[in-house]
Amino acid sequence: MRPIIYLIIIAAAGYLGYNYYMERSGGGAGVSEESTPGTPAAASATTSTRGPAAATSGNPAPVFKSKIIIPDGPPGEKHLAKPGIFYVLERASTEHATGVAAVVPGEEVRLVTRKGNGTVKVSNGKYEFELKESQLTNDLDVAQAAERKFALTNPPPRER
């Protein structure tokens, strides 16, 4: 009899923990108490003007916020990164002692060395990657466009 009671208690705790996690992480269908009347979560819960697909899915359209800050300047002016700073245009990965590390479009890297065969060695501050020069840019506008495209076409990484 005791094992059954223990199982019921463990199952109830797991259920409550899962619901708490889903509510806090935004994965739940309802609006959490953290949202305020001006936030998109509260607005999408009350009304939807995006058409029938948005109303039936319950999930708001993905919103993109770039990590790349483009300085203000005259229109048409090219925005370049500081010397030695580049941004990744294509996802790349490298193996290291404890696994695999990757850089994604829009991620800032620093130049380590240039090689004669059209490749460069760059670092994201933790790992070094060997990339083709065509996989990098110092143009902030191009980097932000690559970041936006990657963010909107790929799901966000899992949290551990």
Side-chain angles (χ1 to χ4, degrees):
M1 186 69 175
R2 280 188 180 173
I4 293 174
I5 292 174
Y6 292 146
L7 270 170
I8 291 172
I9 291 171
I10 291 171
Y15 175 77
L16 292 173
Y18 176 77
N19 282 340
Y20 178 80
Y21 170 77
M22 291 303 288
E23 184 178 294
R24 294 293 177 211
S25 67
V31 178
S32 69
E33 61 267 0
E34 295 174 355
S35 65
T36 58
T39 62
S44 66
T46 56
T47 59
S48 177
T49 58
R50 290 190 216 125
T56 58
S57 70
N59 295 331
V63 177
F64 172 74
K65 180 154 173 55
S66 179
K67 296 180 212 171
I68 301 170
I69 299 171
I70 298 179
D72 292 332
E77 180 179 298
K78 202 168 190 177
H79 303 103
L80 299 178
K82 295 177 185 174
I85 303 293
F86 292 94
Y87 291 89
V88 178
L89 294 175
E90 298 175 14
R91 185 182 188 284
S93 61
T94 186
E95 291 185 30
H96 54 86
T98 59
V100 177
V103 286
V104 295
E107 189 168 337
E108 182 180 297
V109 293
R110 296 188 185 283
L111 178 67
V112 176
T113 58
R114 287 191 184 270
K115 299 192 172 194
N117 58 358
T119 61
V120 292
K121 188 178 271 191
V122 295
S123 171
N124 68 350
K126 195 170 184 180
Y127 301 106
E128 290 188 352
F129 299 86
E130 195 165 308
L131 303 172
K132 296 177 190 171
E133 288 185 19
S134 63
Q135 293 177 290
L136 300 170
T137 186
N138 65 344
D139 186 335
L140 297 175
D141 298 310
V142 172
Q144 194 175 57
E147 179 190 25
R148 169 178 274 120
K149 181 180 176 187
F150 182 80
L152 295 177
T153 58
N154 293 288
R158 297 185 309 193
E159 291 186 25
R160 294 181 185 219

